Amino acid sequence: MVFASSGSEPDRVLHELDAESQPFSEGPKTGCLESTRRPLLVSLMLSLGVLACVARHKFLQGMALEGGRALSTSEHEALHPSHVDDDPNWGCGLLGKIPGISQDGQTTPETQRFVDALKSTSTFNKVNYWNWNLAPQTLPDGQVEHLSKDFLFIPEQWGPGPVPDAWVRPAGQSPFLDSNGQPCNAEMANIFLGMNEPDIQGSCMGTMMGKCLEPCDDAAVAANDCPAAYLNASLPAVEPNARGMCNCWQHSVATGAGFWPVQGCSAHQPLPDLWNQEEACIDGVISDWKKTASTAWSKGYKYLSAPLMAVDVNYAEKFIQKACGCSSPGKCSCTDASCGCPVYLGIHFYAFDCLPEATGSYKTFAKRLREVAKVMENYPFVKGAFVNEVGMLNCAQPSDAHPICVPNSGKYPARSVADHGCPATPELPNGLASFVEQIFEMVISAKTNDGRSIVKGFSWFNVDQDGGTYNLRLFDKHGSINKVGEAYMQACKKWADSNLAIER
């Protein structure tokens, strides 16, 4: 993951993908682009939202059979009956590999105990799950993401380009085909997430994590000054060129969409400073989002989120203003998914170095929640926030001089701890379990001035040292729920109980 000096996040998007492609790609991911790929080609492919194979035969054939089509009016209305709660709580969820679930959706008793605890937090009585992609997939280590009928899968278009229509499964579908063309017993949620962390430039992951901050431009490639990064962080570390550039498209991936060029924009990395780019660039990004939204709406999706923010909630507010045609707070031409208007914000949050107090991380999270509240108050159609990446970064707090998380650079390096998590410290007497408990205290108390809950969905970053994190897994290597997992279950139950009390 990546990190910005303001104290927010990393981004794992890439770890979950094949080294030949970015997280927003679909289907088999081998032999997609020639090894001689140039930055201009990468820019074009990214702007299309594709950095993977064009031909996905198995997947596309399956979609043609199972219904990768627009829904009829009656089908669309059936997914959105007027009596359904229009301000749902999506509850506790997660990402990453979940042990104890088979391809056919059968679960072990231990995993089912975990699932039962989390699904009780949701209006839908299901656990939300997402993975920076459009369906469950095979991870780089060969493990497959299996989900049971107790899950809602939430899709995301990782990049700024329009999502390919054929890759979007209809909302509400269960079972649906995963990215390998195999049936998944989860239900496809009716919310579609926006692009991943466009508000920071991020980093190339793996062997240049925190060092390579830009993809090579044409001049670097022409001068043969474009060293390649590799996603496997266990390989020897390598350095980018003198300008901090590298080849991140061939063997690695970037932490977020802000790393990449965008077709139609003159800047090399236009997204982090999007609102100061030329109008044609801004209009192009919004136009492509509306194409994605139109596809999602045609497939039955009722809700959209703004882009998922690493640090800057104000960025998301400006996106909403543009997408919803707002002339001033509360005055917007459209306020639902039919026109591409997001009704949820998405934010990511990470603390640093097992020192959430000393690094000001808790204060940063509280500030972020207040900023979301302000957006909800200015635009009452905004229902709240998905806080869908939460964890602890294994690095010293980034600074302006070193804005990205460099693993093992802090006071409590993961490599010095037996389980690579946070040790017991004065700030975290029970390690990461203490962090989970405190974050949920903040989630539970976060309200707008008119009493609405700010957080509507929460996902723990359930991975082991990906993107600069500590070991954040909720299960041990034998598939048993660990101490952090038990804390997550208890904290989620407390959140659910508080929501029930409000409803009464």
Side-chain angles (χ1 to χ4, degrees):
M1 203 108 190
V2 140
F3 261 81
S5 57
S6 50
S8 160
E9 36 270 298
D11 208 3
R12 3 316 12 231
V13 28
L14 332 130
H15 34 219
E16 306 268 275
L17 290 190
D18 180 308
E20 292 285 329
S21 59
Q22 292 297 324
F24 43 84
S25 60
E26 256 285 8
K29 300 179 175 76
T30 56
C32 302
L33 297 177
E34 297 299 323
S35 61
T36 55
R37 286 175 293 186
R38 310 284 284 199
L40 285 177
L41 174 59
V42 172
S43 176
L44 173 61
M45 296 300 280
L46 283 160
S47 70
L48 294 174
V50 181
L51 229 188
C53 307
V54 174
R56 317 268 184 204
H57 301 300
K58 186 174 184 181
F59 168 70
L60 292 176
Q61 289 172 359
M63 288 303 293
L65 293 173
E66 69 149 339
R69 57 176 173 80
L71 302 182
S72 68
T73 300
S74 60
E75 289 172 320
H76 200 286
E77 291 176 348
L79 283 172
H80 311 315
S82 59
H83 66 276
V84 172
D85 183 354
D86 198 42
D87 189 13
N89 192 316
W90 300 81
C92 284
L94 68 166
L95 47 79
K97 182 68 171 65
I98 306 171
I101 306 179
S102 63
Q103 175 68 63
D104 63 359
Q106 299 300 307
T107 59
T108 62
E110 181 76 344
T111 296
Q112 191 62 48
R113 181 169 74 90
F114 180 81
V115 168
D116 287 344
L118 265 60
K119 74 178 188 178
S120 66
T121 66
S122 165
T123 300
F124 307 95
N125 197 34
K126 292 178 183 284
V127 180
N128 75 75
Y129 183 95
W130 76 295
N131 68 353
W132 307 276
N133 209 334
L134 300 170
Q137 61 195 1
T138 299
L139 305 180
D141 63 4
Q143 295 187 80
V144 180
E145 295 170 336
H146 293 150
L147 303 176
S148 72
K149 61 181 176 57
D150 290 321
F151 284 82
L152 274 179
F153 182 86
I154 301 178
E156 182 203 21
Q157 172 66 347
W158 188 89
V163 67
D165 178 275
W167 294 355
V168 180
R169 288 80 169 163
Q173 189 173 54
S174 179
F176 57 83
L177 296 187
D178 66 16
S179 293
N180 299 314
Q182 298 299 311
C184 174
N185 286 285
E187 178 182 340
M188 188 62 65
N190 64 356
I191 180 171
F192 198 97
L193 303 179
M195 62 178 156
N196 198 72
E197 296 189 358
D199 57 321
I200 59 173
Q201 68 181 137
S203 171
C204 189
M205 293 183 68
T207 56
M208 292 193 195
M209 180 70 195
K211 299 177 181 180
C212 174
L213 307 184
E214 297 184 47
C216 291
D217 58 16
D218 291 322
V221 173
N224 196 29
D225 184 26
C226 188
Y230 288 81
L231 188 58
N232 185 351
S234 67
L235 295 175
V238 289
E239 297 294 322
N241 68 20
R243 291 189 290 161
M245 294 178 173
C246 70
N247 172 348
C248 191
W249 58 85
Q250 191 172 358
H251 305 293
S252 189
V253 284
T255 57
F259 183 85
W260 295 107
V262 176
Q263 187 181 35
C265 299
S266 60
H268 188 51
Q269 292 176 308
L271 290 177
D273 195 29
L274 177 63
W275 312 117
N276 290 318
Q277 304 301 324
E278 64 269 30
E279 284 300 316
C281 173
I282 298 171
D283 291 346
V285 171
I286 296 298
S287 175
D288 281 349
W289 165 250
K290 286 184 175 287
K291 292 173 185 175
T292 288
S294 178
T295 295
W297 178 256
S298 75
K299 300 293 181 73
Y301 290 85
K302 184 176 182 179
Y303 307 110
L304 304 172
S305 86
L308 309 180
M309 296 292 102
V311 298
D312 190 359
V313 174
N314 183 57
Y315 186 115
E317 182 175 14
K318 290 179 179 178
F319 190 94
I320 287 172
Q321 291 168 352
K322 287 284 188 179
C324 306
C326 302
S327 57
S328 62
K331 295 182 179 179
C332 306
S333 60
C334 177
T335 59
D336 63 34
S338 65
C339 67
C341 180
V343 296
Y344 289 98
L345 298 175
I347 62 174
H348 296 166
F349 171 73
Y350 294 82
F352 301 98
D353 200 17
C354 304
L355 294 168
E357 293 279 5
T359 59
S361 298
Y362 287 142
K363 291 181 179 178
T364 295
F365 188 51
K367 178 176 180 287
R368 202 99 10 105
L369 294 177
R370 289 194 300 270
E371 291 169 344
V372 173
K374 182 180 177 182
V375 176
M376 294 171 67
E377 289 157 5
N378 286 340
Y379 301 91
F381 61 86
V382 175
K383 300 178 185 299
F386 272 78
V387 186
N388 64 350
E389 280 191 29
V390 182
M392 184 74 67
L393 288 177
N394 171 31
C395 60
Q397 184 175 20
S399 63
D400 290 339
H402 302 283
I404 303 301
C405 181
V406 178
N408 294 299
S409 61
K411 182 177 181 180
Y412 298 106
R415 65 187 174 194
S416 299
V417 183
D419 66 354
H420 306 300
C422 282
T425 69
E427 288 193 21
L428 300 176
N430 292 312
L432 284 168
S434 297
F435 177 65
V436 169
E437 292 163 0
Q438 181 58 37
I439 286 295
F440 269 91
E441 290 297 327
M442 300 172 74
V443 166
I444 290 168
S445 64
K447 301 286 189 295
T448 60
N449 286 335
D450 58 1
R452 287 179 291 160
S453 295
I454 293 171
V455 179
K456 298 298 174 65
F458 188 102
S459 293
W460 180 255
F461 195 67
N462 173 47
V463 299
D464 182 3
Q465 301 175 88
D466 267 336
T469 69
Y470 288 88
N471 177 7
L472 305 178
R473 295 277 292 158
L474 301 175
F475 296 82
D476 66 21
K477 63 182 180 181
H478 304 295
S480 297
I481 302 166
N482 62 24
K483 181 173 65 174
V484 183
E486 294 286 356
Y488 191 51
M489 292 164 62
Q490 290 300 314
C492 288
K493 181 180 185 303
K494 188 173 182 179
W495 183 31
D497 290 345
S498 72
N499 287 332
L500 286 174
I502 292 172
E503 291 172 5
R504 294 192 187 104

